[in-house]
Amino acid sequence: MVAASASIERSLVGRDDELAMVEAALGQGRSGALLEGEPGIGKTALWIAGTEMARDRGACVLESRPGEAERRLSFSALDDLLSNELDEVLPHIPSPRRRALEIALLRTDDPDASPDPRGVSTAVLEVVRRLARDRPVVLAIDDVQWLDPGSARVLTFALRRLEPGEIAVLGTRRAGPDPTPAPLVRAFDERGITRLTLQPLEISAIEAIIRRQLGVRLSRPARRDVYELSGGNPLFAVELARAHGAEPPWSAGAELPDRLASAIRRRVGAFEPPVREVLCAAALTQQPSVRILASVTGRPDPEVLDAAVAAERAGVALIGDDARAQGAQMVGFRHPLFRSAATELLPPARVRALHQAYARVVDDPEELARHLAASASAPDDDVAAALDRASRHARSRGALDAAAELYEQAARFTLDGEDERRARRTIAAAASLFDAGDRCAAEEHLLSRLDAIPAGVQRANALIALAIMCWNDLARSDDFLDRAEDEADDVPRIRAKILAARAWIEAYGRSLERAAACAGEAVQLSDRHRIPVVRAALAVSAWARLLQGRDATEALARGLALGESYVRADPCTPRLSGAMGRRWVGDLITARELLEAEAETISATGAETSLLEVLGPLAEILWRLGDWPAAARNLRAAEDLADDVGVTPSRAAQWSHVDALLAAGQGRVEESVEIARRGAAAAGSVGDRFSEAHNHAALVLGLLVAGDAPGAVVSFTRARRLLDELGVREVGVLGAMGDGLEALAASGDRGELAAVVAELEAAASGRRPWAAADAARGRAFLLKGEAAEIEMAEAATAYAGLGMPFEAARCQLWLGTWLRHRRRQRRARDTLAHAQATFERLGAVPWQARAAAELARVGGRPPAPMGLTDAEREVADFVAEGLTNSDIAARLHLSVRTVEAHLSHAYMKLGVHSRTALVAKLRPR
């Protein structure tokens, strides 16, 4: 951008109150201000005063003044904002985020690079946070409506995550409808940014501005005339006053915008031909250096500079230096209205010639292609090819919005008769929109052009793309795939794509057996014809086999061996399938590690939409591992991303069960039940049995907290039936077996309780530690006396060993209550105290209250040192001496199972899982 020269008039007239409001909005801990109003009302002058005031107070001001033409230049505003600070901060940003930002801002040249927009966003977030460590940061943007989409997306991401104390915003925006992205506007509102609408100035202020800028004093009637016609708008008033006296300065019946446009056109058009040509050329590019303007106009540098100086003296142009262009002199405009008028100064043929000249001198593939497109008046193969190359260049640096626009332009310039090439570009435009996170726009774009795409392979490709875009709406996705089959099912590449996509529909809503069959056939076709869909097919094959309780080692190993290149918009990858397989059997730590690695992979490769497939499962695992704040953060991240992407309620139902679990755990019972029921209904409406079952499973916990055990049993039964109909045989999939067992016990259905326990015991024999923990818990509900105590203690220890503190503490609560009823006060107190401490740490409000109430009913002495009862400490001491459980039982005249129970309690209280760790805890060095 052109830096404002010292000749710009910066003093404000008639805006003292507004300046004071800006000052307050930029104060310590405040969010900033958005200055709104019609063009020419004085937003920029107030904005400049605000930025100067912020700098005077020691703030780091990140500044950009985008113009309308810059909306099409990827990340141009982001480059403006960060250019002065990036060299110092960038080395401290971790890779691959640093690399993503370098690629986006063209600070590195890598033809194979393809950064994730989210990777760029997180890098910018870290840059701002690092800058904010030393001084306040102000994000200053004049005319936010002209932000390029890539920059707007990145800033929206950052603003939603930065605290008011880390950054303030000072922006300007035209009043009324404008192209400002809705998510950015919402981000402004969520931060509580002050919206300040500039009102018309008083006539005295208008008079002072005219006198200062024009050096003239209008007569009283003329002043009144100008003021009324301008409506108190200072720019309008100055231009009308400048034209006053000409015949006619405006037509009597014209509306104000027409009168203003007439005045501005007359003013800009009054220059000599060389000045008009230089101004028009400057308006057509975003790098209007004197050297480039000389090249495209064919005029010597001194003549171009003289023209620019003449325009600057007339108050139309600005001349400044651009540090990023080694101090080159740049020619800009004082106001966007002058730029708009300048584009109309020359005949259309001459304007096209200037664009052609620019195409010969610019280096950036995107700008070159845009100039070629502007110079062409009909379809042109060379222009279409240049736009195609520019699209790929935009994608390579993560500017997916720009890539979509360029692909669509390439489609428009494709020659008649090149229908397949046009179709490929149309599909690529929609895919770029989808990958950028704008699912709704992508689907609308492709649907509106579907009939124009040639029948056969190309239309089948378009239909498959639509199926992927709405794959969570299983019925619609299936319909698109049916139509794709009708178009070109005999083509192996198309057949393999259809099978891989249909496998997911089967896996989520119909039959795991058919899902595995579809995936297997897709793999065979991929192998036979070297079709690059084998990774997706292997992922769904592993997913289906794992859910069926079968071995998926071969599919996972082969899929993982293909590397980490991420196919955009895949519902799953081999690593995600592997992670979920570990989660279903209870290996939550490994599952979390795999999912976190998968999230990093996605963030490094640009599949923004596909990150939703990871955030929900990761949030659930974090909830079960007891990190409820992290689970909530992942849920919020999923919701933010879903808001940007534009997902349907049925898509949100894939992770709404985690939200319901978190709400139930924290005691927001009614909210939990509502979330789960809404999620189940949304998933059921599109045939997504898998997600519907998970929401019913979450409903079990909410209903238990609400005291509705029969209702919980109904939901538990419904969830199990849905998965059974799907063909799921892995018992740990729902993660609600413990809740279901508790509901069955509370409702007195011992027959069904025993059946579920038997099912868990059978599963536990196959190295499923979660099933083993659930089985012990269920046996405690069925048994009586010491046997029940031992089983529940075993369950608590097993859950603790799996890293599931909430489930372990719930077992302790049951056990402590059971012990209190049998007047074993000392052990009851100790067990309940540990349960209460865990609930308090988690924020599990209902259970903490229950544990506290039980504790209040317990008498007796406080617990022994280290929290162990006398019996537990005695057993632990014998273990430290090296005795076996049988030896200890003989010494203390106890049964071996009682010794095991005491030892399990000691493990749980001391946070250890082995005899060696117990000894180390008791006798530290």
Side-chain angles (χ1 to χ4, degrees):
M1 287 301 299
V2 179
S5 70
S7 64
I8 297 178
E9 179 56 67
R10 300 192 174 208
S11 60
L12 292 174
V13 176
R15 295 294 187 195
D16 293 345
D17 292 343
E18 290 88 342
L19 184 59
M21 294 176 70
V22 170
E23 181 178 13
L26 295 178
Q28 182 68 31
R30 300 293 298 276
S31 297
L34 181 62
L35 313 178
E36 297 178 307
E38 62 185 8
I41 198 66
K43 302 184 298 296
T44 296
L46 184 57
W47 178 86
I48 290 173
T51 59
E52 288 188 340
M53 181 171 55
R55 286 193 181 93
D56 289 344
R57 293 180 172 183
C60 171
V61 179
L62 308 178
E63 182 176 317
S64 178
R65 302 181 67 180
E68 182 174 3
E70 287 181 54
R71 268 196 104 241
R72 306 192 312 182
L73 296 182
S74 310
F75 299 124
S76 58
L78 195 61
D79 196 18
D80 287 340
L81 291 166
L82 301 180
S83 58
N84 292 332
E85 308 292 339
L86 209 53
D87 289 339
E88 178 181 348
V89 178
L90 198 56
H92 302 287
I93 305 303
S95 182
R97 293 168 183 172
R98 177 180 67 251
R99 180 165 177 75
L101 187 55
E102 288 173 334
I103 294 169
L105 300 184
L106 301 178
R107 288 178 171 244
T108 186
D109 186 15
D110 183 352
D112 297 323
S114 181
D116 168 31
R118 199 174 186 86
V120 177
S121 299
T122 53
V124 171
L125 179 62
E126 292 188 36
V127 166
V128 174
R129 282 179 170 160
R130 183 165 287 274
L131 291 172
R133 292 178 184 177
D134 302 323
R135 50 184 172 154
V137 176
V138 174
L139 179 67
I141 305 171
D142 187 21
D143 281 335
V144 297
Q145 73 272 7
W146 302 137
L147 282 171
D148 62 276
S151 296
R153 191 182 303 278
V154 169
L155 294 177
T156 300
F157 178 94
L159 287 172
R160 282 178 169 170
R161 290 157 179 81
L162 289 164
E163 298 296 328
E166 292 179 302
I167 193 169
V169 174
L170 181 59
T172 70
R173 178 190 181 201
R174 288 188 180 182
D178 66 30
T180 308
L184 181 60
V185 176
R186 286 197 298 272
F188 285 159
D189 292 340
E190 289 166 3
R191 294 181 65 84
I193 290 173
T194 300
R195 286 204 182 195
L196 178 56
T197 301
L198 298 194
Q199 301 300 321
L201 291 174
E202 299 291 335
I203 189 171
S204 58
I206 292 292
E207 180 185 8
I209 290 172
I210 292 172
R211 192 182 310 160
R212 179 175 296 175
Q213 293 197 20
L214 302 182
V216 299
R217 187 181 184 91
L218 297 179
S219 65
R220 186 177 299 276
R223 288 201 304 269
R224 175 58 60 183
D225 195 17
V226 167
Y227 180 74
E228 291 180 352
L229 289 169
S230 70
N233 183 302
L235 177 65
F236 295 2
V238 169
E239 295 309 313
L240 292 170
R242 195 188 303 273
H244 199 276
E247 292 295 339
W250 48 73
S251 58
E255 296 294 326
L256 179 58
D258 293 335
R259 292 195 295 269
L260 175 64
S262 175
I264 288 179
R265 282 196 298 269
R266 289 169 64 87
R267 179 179 174 190
V268 177
F271 291 116
E272 294 296 319
V275 179
R276 293 204 302 271
E277 185 172 57
V278 168
L279 289 176
C280 183
L284 300 179
T285 182
Q286 293 309 309
Q287 296 297 322
S289 69
V290 170
R291 180 184 61 81
I292 291 178
L293 292 174
S295 176
V296 299
T297 60
R299 301 177 182 276
D301 286 14
E303 187 176 334
V304 170
L305 185 57
D306 289 344
V309 169
E312 185 180 42
R313 287 173 178 167
V316 171
L318 296 171
I319 302 175
D321 296 334
D322 190 337
R324 287 170 294 163
Q326 289 77 46
Q329 288 184 300
M330 312 292 284
V331 180
F333 293 87
R334 283 199 61 188
H335 196 278
L337 293 174
F338 292 139
R339 178 191 289 272
S340 298
T343 61
E344 303 173 2
L345 291 174
L346 301 180
R350 179 55 181 155
V351 173
R352 287 196 296 273
L354 287 174
H355 280 296
Q356 289 175 338
Y358 272 120
R360 291 192 292 269
V361 300
V362 298
D363 296 325
D364 180 73
E366 295 175 48
E367 187 174 1
L368 183 151
R370 294 184 191 281
H371 283 301
L372 284 175
S375 70
S377 56
D380 184 292
D381 193 49
D382 291 336
V383 173
L387 287 163
D388 200 303
R389 289 191 295 272
S391 305
R392 295 194 296 273
H393 179 266
R395 281 193 72 99
S396 73
R397 64 194 192 97
L400 299 174
D401 301 277
E405 180 196 351
L406 289 163
Y407 271 127
E408 180 53 24
Q409 283 201 65
R412 288 202 302 269
F413 277 97
T414 301
L415 295 175
D416 292 339
E418 297 282 353
D419 293 341
E420 288 194 3
R421 188 170 291 177
R422 181 184 294 108
R424 178 183 61 78
R425 290 163 176 166
T426 297
I427 296 169
S432 293
L433 285 170
F434 182 71
D435 292 340
D438 198 344
R439 182 197 64 81
C440 296
E443 187 177 338
E444 181 182 351
H445 178 91
L446 203 48
L447 279 174
S448 65
R449 293 159 176 79
L450 189 60
D451 291 342
I453 293 176
V457 170
Q458 290 300 332
R459 189 173 295 174
N461 277 323
L463 289 163
I464 293 169
L466 285 166
I468 291 172
M469 289 174 190
C470 65
W471 81 265
N472 60 292
D473 187 338
L474 302 186
R476 289 189 69 218
S477 184
D478 198 35
D479 178 63
F480 283 130
L481 292 177
D482 285 343
R483 293 167 63 185
E485 282 184 336
D486 293 340
E487 293 289 342
D489 189 45
D490 57 336
V491 179
R493 179 179 294 269
I494 297 299
R495 176 68 179 164
K497 288 181 179 180
I498 291 172
L499 286 167
R502 196 181 294 285
W504 282 111
I505 296 174
E506 295 289 348
Y508 264 76
R510 293 177 180 169
S511 164
L512 288 174
E513 197 64 40
R514 289 198 296 271
C518 288
E521 187 179 347
V523 170
Q524 291 175 5
L525 283 170
S526 299
D527 290 343
R528 192 179 309 136
H529 299 281
R530 298 181 180 275
I531 301 168
V533 298
V534 63
R535 191 163 179 265
L538 289 167
V540 69
S541 176
W543 179 280
R545 293 181 68 85
L546 288 167
L547 285 173
Q548 291 173 311
R550 298 160 61 191
D551 180 61
T553 304
E554 182 181 351
L556 287 174
R558 187 178 171 193
L560 291 169
L562 294 174
E564 294 186 344
S565 58
Y566 202 92
V567 181
R568 295 173 190 273
D570 274 348
C572 189
T573 61
R575 183 159 55 186
L576 180 53
S577 290
M580 296 311 296
R582 299 318 304 162
R583 176 260 184 241
W584 294 329
V585 299
D587 186 358
L588 301 184
I589 302 299
T590 301
R592 182 192 66 193
E593 292 171 352
L594 289 171
L595 287 175
E596 288 173 343
E598 186 70 352
E600 285 295 324
T601 300
I602 294 172
S603 294
T605 51
E608 174 84 351
T609 304
S610 298
L611 195 59
L612 286 172
E613 312 303 333
V614 176
L615 291 174
L618 183 56
E620 188 220 353
I621 288 171
L622 290 167
W623 183 82
R624 297 194 184 281
L625 288 172
D627 194 346
W628 291 7
R633 287 194 297 272
N634 273 269
L635 281 176
R636 299 295 83 78
E639 290 172 358
D640 285 347
L641 182 55
D643 196 33
D644 292 341
V645 170
V647 304
T648 60
S650 56
R651 181 69 174 273
Q654 293 175 12
W655 66 83
S656 59
H657 67 284
V658 189
D659 207 3
L661 289 172
L662 188 61
Q666 294 172 336
R668 296 178 281 120
V669 181
E670 291 183 3
E671 182 181 350
S672 171
V673 171
E674 174 60 26
I675 291 170
R677 283 178 172 157
R678 189 168 59 240
S685 69
V686 295
D688 182 355
R689 289 182 179 178
F690 193 73
S691 300
E692 184 183 0
H694 277 79
N695 279 278
H696 278 294
L699 188 57
V700 177
L701 182 62
L703 292 173
L704 273 176
V705 183
D708 184 3
V713 170
V714 171
S715 291
F716 180 61
T717 303
R718 172 64 174 159
R720 281 165 52 79
R721 185 168 64 249
L722 284 166
L723 291 191
D724 183 65
E725 292 170 354
L726 198 58
V728 174
R729 299 295 176 261
E730 183 57 68
V731 297
V733 171
L734 285 177
M737 298 302 283
D739 298 333
L741 292 168
E742 186 175 324
L744 288 167
S747 63
D749 191 345
R750 292 181 60 83
E752 183 62 19
L753 177 60
V756 174
V757 169
E759 182 182 343
L760 289 166
E761 288 173 337
S765 64
R767 295 184 180 180
R768 288 169 173 78
W770 195 350
D774 287 336
R777 189 174 180 177
R779 286 193 296 269
F781 292 137
L782 288 170
L783 298 173
K784 297 180 180 180
E786 184 179 299
E789 174 190 347
I790 292 171
E791 293 292 351
M792 191 60 78
E794 181 182 324
T797 302
Y799 285 130
L802 292 170
M804 302 170 67
F806 183 52
E807 300 304 326
R810 288 171 67 187
C811 291
Q812 288 180 318
L813 175 58
W814 185 94
L815 185 58
T817 303
W818 187 91
L819 291 167
R820 183 184 68 79
H821 288 160
R822 282 147 187 81
R823 301 186 181 281
R824 293 163 65 179
Q825 307 291 56
R826 190 162 46 186
R827 282 199 58 200
R829 179 193 298 106
D830 187 68
T831 305
L832 290 168
H834 280 83
Q836 183 188 24
T838 300
F839 293 140
E840 183 177 8
R841 177 178 62 80
L842 293 173
V845 178
W847 285 270
Q848 182 184 353
R850 285 175 55 192
E854 288 294 329
L855 267 173
R857 299 186 181 100
V858 178
R861 296 180 299 172
M866 300 185 71
L868 301 181
T869 65
D870 293 341
E872 290 161 359
R873 181 62 191 241
E874 193 172 20
V875 169
D877 286 339
F878 279 130
V879 168
E881 293 176 11
L883 273 66
T884 66
N885 288 357
S886 298
D887 293 337
I888 297 170
R891 289 274 191 97
L892 298 177
H893 306 288
L894 299 171
S895 70
V896 173
R897 295 201 69 180
T898 300
V899 171
E900 291 173 347
H902 290 324
L903 191 56
S904 293
H905 292 144
Y907 281 178
M908 184 169 52
K909 293 174 182 179
L910 298 179
V912 299
H913 309 299
S914 68
R915 300 171 86 88
T916 302
L918 175 67
V919 173
K921 193 81 170 181
L922 291 173
R923 299 178 181 176
R925 294 181 180 179

